[in-house]
Structures are given as structure tokens and as C-alpha cells.
Amino acid sequence: MTRLRKLLLAGSLALPIVIGGWVAQERSSRDGSRLFDQVVSLVNDRFVDTLNAGALYEKAARGLVQQLNDPYSEFYTPKENASFTRQSSGRYGGLGMLIEQQQPSGDIVIVTVYPNTPAQAAHIFEGDRIIGIDTMSIKGLKEWTSTKVSETLIGKIGTQVNVRFARPGVPQPIEHKFTRAEIHIPAVPFAVMLENKTAYIPLKQFSEDAVGELQESVNRLTKEGAKSLILDLRDNPGGILDQGLAVPDMFLKEGQPLASVRGRGEMNQTFNARGGRHVTDLPLVVLVNDRSASAAEIAAGALQDHDRALIVGTTSFGKGLVQSVYNLDGGYALKLTTAKWYTPSGRSIQRERKPGTMQLVDTIKPDSLEKESSKRSKPVFKSDAGRTVYGGGGITPDVVIPADTITTPEQDFFKTVIAPKFALIRSVMYNYALEVKPGVAKDFSMKPEWRNEIFKRFETAKITTDRPGFDKGAPTIDRMFTNMVAELAFGDSTAFRRQISDDTQLKKALELLNKGHTQKDLLSLASAYTKP
């Protein structure tokens, strides 16, 4: 038999096997579809309680997504889809207030009024309580949760809503008719100049205008003479992909890879810097922690791999999965995990967790306890300059600095007293902070009489603690209370400045920037912290 005939014969023998597999797969799919239809039909016809057909299919769709055991894939109802869109875009039609339901009273309290909003124009203050909406009184009604109040206040831009407030010290309710407006939640709440002309910019989320706000803050502070920059991505949960890629683009050269995505079909793609908005001459430190996730990790990873930033803090969350949002009929939507992200050096951002949970499957220590020696168990990659960077999920900082600095007695007080009743304790202290704020100066400090009054109010609120235990936790109480008073009286930036002395990660960043005057200097200094 010639070689050609052997090849043809081998091909003919393989063909039935391939076709047989395809037929089996098609039959399996057909049988599965029939099974699903049978179950839905029986539940719809025979279940003891009558079910709406539309609701039945919605439950089936939600159950299917839940059975994927992926914490990031979600099925959204029209209302949930609208809420997700508002959160991801950072814009919505409303009044511009952040509300909180305090316990045990159930009162709906204003905790933040955003600038340039209808709420600010109406002189609504933090601490005001919502007691009525339009013709409805909501005071004391358990069904009026913060979620329901928020959904009622949010609406189509240009429509009106009447809201009644109770204000501490004001006997009569305050009533105002608002016209809903497009509300923009700042991605950069403030930006300040710190010691030695170091610009500090916290980026809280990657919303629609995140890069624009960051660029504006960088431009302003460089005009004021900034010689270095700290970009704070701690507690940043991520957001819009384009914004997550555009942040490192600000600091990298045209054509440098930002990240790549790998998935099924045509999902594979590499994203490169476009250039044009370069911030090339400022030494850069990026702060991350275990709540820096997704787009925040993409940005930090790109800057680390290209040696453009020194990363300081604790290992980031490790969310390296891509979610695609598919709009469905009737206003529904499906957010589905479709791919994984990789940094320019090839590191996977994803940190594996047990199916259906957010629990880690690896044995990495909690980030607050992570030491440099734990890096040795992680996959090793190389930056552009040949520096060692680490994979294994999340972004491992060049300089690991735990944020946990409180004493053991303070930790015990937090675990046994504050954590179990955090909402109530915050409510008690917030109400007292409102009373204290009118008479304080910017350089105020905690007064013994304030601490005594807080203890009395804890007793009245039945927050269980004795005086010796309370005194051991006094430093924590002092920090919480003075930060509340400073923010209420003077705003975010003043409150932030008061917290610098307690922020070990920020202090380390400042220390490094004081010693290193170029990016190369910073990376050299970091080597002292990376030895086992």
C-alpha cells in the first residue's frame, strides 16, 4: 500500500469517530433541552402554588447562573440592571446624597452630600434625617429601608420629588421640592500637596470620568510644583475597563503593553498604551491593599511591570476575571465571566477562590500578616528592567507594609465591642460629632470630656463595655471620633491630613520619596525591602 493510500485510509477511519462524537454531543444538548422543558412544564402545571410564567423563567435563569459557582457572574432584573449601571458609571438621576440606615432606630440619615448637586443647593446637611417622601411618612416604618428610600429618590432626570427632613436642634421638619439631576460621584474626592512637594491623589473608583479627574488633579498639582506623586488605589474596587487601562496609559510610553485578556473564541486581545498624556518626569508610588481589585490591579500591574511605579502596601484582592454584560429582553441583563486578565509580563491577576465562595483556596497568609519571605512561594516574573515581580494572584507590592498597627488591647476592643455593633456605635458617635463640630478649630484634638460623654452614650445605647475595657480601646475611639468631627466640620482633605500619622503605608511612601528623587532611585531603594 502506498504512503498516500495509508494516509487516506487513516483519514477515513477517523471520520466516523469525529462524526460520532458530534452526533453524541448534539443528542446530549437536545436531551438536556427536553429535560429543562419538562421540568418547567411540570412546575408550571402541577406545583401546589400558582406561579407566573415570566417569574418562573426568571428564577430558572437566575438558578442557572448561580450553579456556575462563579461569584462574579450575575443575572440582573431590570431594577438590578439599572442599579448596576449607576454604580459602574458613577452617574445617576437623583439628589446627590449618600444615606445610611442607623440602628436600632431605623432612621434614614444623610452621611454625605456631594458637591454641585440639588442636595447641596438646598442646604441639606450630613446628619439630617429623611422622614417623608412626597405624601408618604416613612418615620419609624421598618419597610422603608435605605435601599427602598434610595430607589424612591432616584428617578428620571428633570422629574421632581418632595422630601421632608428632621434636623437635630430644629423643632420643625424641613421640606424641600427637588428636581432630580444627573449626579456625578467623584472618583477623585480631593487631591492635596504633602511634604516635600509630594502630590497625593486618592482614586476611589474607575467610573466614567476617573481618568479625566485624575488628569485634572495631576495637572493642578504639577503647576503648584509637585516633584513626586502618590496614587492611592487602596480600597478601589475597580470599575470601567477603559478607565482602568487609561490610568497606566497616562504614565507609560506609546506602544507599551498595558494588559492582555485571554478567553474563548475571539476574546484574546492585547491592549497597548496610546500615549499623548504622559506624566513621565514624576517619581511615582502606587498604594494598594487587599481591597484593591480588578481595574485597580490592572493599572498597578502595568505600572509595576514597566518599572514606572513603586508599589507599596499589601497584596491586592486578586480579581483577574473579565465580566461581559449582555443586555437581554425586557430590561434584564447577564454579567458573565468570559476571560482572564494578564499583566504585561504575563502574570495572572486572578487569585483562585473556592467555587461559590470568596474564600481563598491557597495557603497565603492574610495580607496584614504577609512577610517578604512569603513571596518565595509565588511564581516569578520579570519587569522590563529585570526586576523580580510575583504572580500567584493579585499584585504583590515591591515594598510590603502592613496597615495593622493597633495594639493588642485595641484589637480586642474592636473585635469584642466595636465589630458586633459597628452600625450602632457609628450612629452614636456620628450624632455626637454633629453636636461637637460647630466649635472646633482645624487643629483640634480629642478632649477627655468628649470621651466621657461617648462612654455615657454607649451605656445609654446598651453597648456592652465596662470603663476599663473602654479605656483600653480609647485610642480607637479617639481616632474614629476625631475623624468624624474633622470630616463633618472641614471636609475630606482636612480629615485625611489628620490621619496621615496613623497611616503606616502612606508614611513609608513619603519616606521613600524623600530619599529617592527619580523612579530609578525609588526602585533601587525598594531592593532593601525585598531580601528574604
Side-chain angles (χ1 to χ4, degrees), residues 73-268:
S73 292
E74 296 183 75
F75 176 79
Y76 291 135
T77 65
K79 184 179 292 186
E80 291 168 339
N81 187 25
S83 176
F84 171 75
T85 301
R86 287 194 302 271
Q87 292 174 14
S88 60
S89 69
R91 295 183 181 273
Y92 61 93
L95 311 184
M97 305 180 299
L98 179 63
I99 62 175
E100 175 183 271
Q101 188 164 29
Q102 297 188 339
Q103 300 297 336
S105 66
D107 290 346
I108 305 297
V109 179
I110 314 301
V111 294
T112 302
V113 175
Y114 295 110
N116 305 313
T117 62
Q120 186 187 57
H123 303 292
I124 303 304
F125 300 139
E126 288 89 351
D128 288 351
R129 288 161 169 75
I130 299 176
I131 58 174
I133 301 175
D134 290 330
T135 60
M136 300 173 291
S137 174
I138 69 171
K139 186 176 182 180
L141 299 179
K142 292 183 179 179
E143 63 268 25
W144 279 93
T145 63
S146 57
T147 299
K148 184 174 181 178
V149 171
S150 178
E151 290 174 348
T152 305
L153 294 178
I154 291 172
K156 186 177 180 180
I157 295 172
T159 58
Q160 293 187 324
V161 60
N162 196 70
V163 186
R164 292 185 302 283
F165 302 87
R167 178 171 295 169
V170 179
Q172 297 299 320
I174 298 169
E175 190 165 343
H176 192 85
K177 179 173 285 188
F178 294 92
T179 298
R180 294 182 177 95
E182 183 180 61
I183 303 301
H184 170 59
I185 302 173
V188 178
F190 62 90
V192 296
M193 191 82 80
L194 301 180
E195 61 185 64
N196 294 328
K197 293 292 184 179
T198 297
Y200 171 84
I201 305 176
L203 185 60
K204 295 298 185 183
Q205 60 179 336
F206 287 89
S207 54
E208 285 181 342
D209 292 334
V211 174
E213 293 180 39
L214 176 60
Q215 185 79 60
E216 182 180 349
S217 297
V218 170
N219 291 344
R220 175 176 63 82
L221 290 170
T222 51
K223 287 181 180 178
E224 294 175 11
K227 296 180 180 179
S228 58
L229 172 62
I230 297 174
L231 178 61
D232 193 345
L233 297 182
R234 292 176 297 178
D235 302 326
N236 185 319
I240 299 174
L241 165 62
D242 290 346
Q243 298 292 302
L245 294 170
V247 165
D249 196 348
M250 286 178 56
F251 301 93
L252 296 174
K253 298 176 182 178
E254 183 177 357
Q256 286 185 296
L258 300 172
S260 62
V261 59
R262 305 173 196 172
R264 293 170 62 181
E266 299 178 356
M267 285 297 298
N268 295 348

Side-chain angles (χ1 to χ4, degrees), residues 253-288:
K253 298 176 182 178
E254 183 177 357
Q256 286 185 296
L258 300 172
S260 62
V261 59
R262 305 173 196 172
R264 293 170 62 181
E266 299 178 356
M267 285 297 298
N268 295 348
Q269 190 174 1
T270 298
F271 300 88
N272 297 320
R274 298 176 182 178
R277 292 185 294 187
H278 291 159
V279 183
T280 57
D281 55 347
L282 289 181
L284 174 64
V285 171
V286 174
L287 299 177
V288 298

Side-chain angles (χ1 to χ4, degrees), residues 413 416-417 455 458-459 462-471:
F413 180 76
T416 59
V417 178
F455 178 73
F458 275 20
E459 289 185 315
K462 302 189 183 306
I463 298 169
T464 306
T465 181
D466 55 21
R467 187 66 201 223
F470 178 86
D471 288 340

Side-chain angles (χ1 to χ4, degrees), residues 370-384:
E370 185 179 16
K371 304 297 182 184
E372 288 294 329
S373 58
S374 70
K375 293 180 179 179
R376 288 181 291 180
S377 64
K378 298 181 178 182
V380 172
F381 294 79
K382 294 296 181 180
S383 72
D384 290 355

Side-chain angles (χ1 to χ4, degrees), residues 367-511:
D367 290 328
S368 61
L369 301 177
E370 185 179 16
K371 304 297 182 184
E372 288 294 329
S373 58
S374 70
K375 293 180 179 179
R376 288 181 291 180
S377 64
K378 298 181 178 182
V380 172
F381 294 79
K382 294 296 181 180
S383 72
D384 290 355
R387 294 188 309 121
T388 297
V389 291
Y390 296 90
I395 300 300
T396 301
D398 301 302
V399 180
V400 175
I401 302 293
D404 186 4
T405 59
I406 63 175
T407 64
T408 299
E410 286 183 81
Q411 292 181 41
D412 293 340
F413 180 76
F414 188 88
K415 292 176 182 177
T416 59
V417 178
I418 295 179
K421 293 190 175 182
F422 184 78
L424 176 58
I425 287 174
R426 189 186 187 286
S427 174
V428 169
M429 296 176 68
Y430 189 87
N431 289 335
Y432 186 42
L434 288 169
E435 298 176 26
V436 168
K437 75 165 187 174
V440 299
K442 282 192 174 182
D443 59 349
F444 77 93
S445 57
M446 187 71 174
K447 297 180 180 180
E449 55 266 33
W450 293 352
R451 196 178 302 114
N452 292 335
E453 180 62 23
I454 291 172
F455 178 73
K456 291 178 183 178
R457 296 190 182 205
F458 275 20
E459 289 185 315
T460 301
K462 302 189 183 306
I463 298 169
T464 306
T465 181
D466 55 21
R467 187 66 201 223
F470 178 86
D471 288 340
K472 288 180 180 178
T476 299
I477 293 294
D478 291 357
R479 281 193 296 270
M480 289 178 63
F481 186 69
T482 54
N483 289 340
M484 281 184 183
V485 173
E487 188 169 344
L488 288 169
F490 307 111
D492 289 338
S493 61
T494 298
F496 158 73
R497 289 181 183 277
R498 296 179 60 88
Q499 299 171 39
I500 293 177
S501 61
D502 298 318
D503 191 335
T504 55
Q505 295 167 340
L506 177 56
K507 286 196 298 183
K508 177 57 67 175
L510 288 168
E511 175 190 323

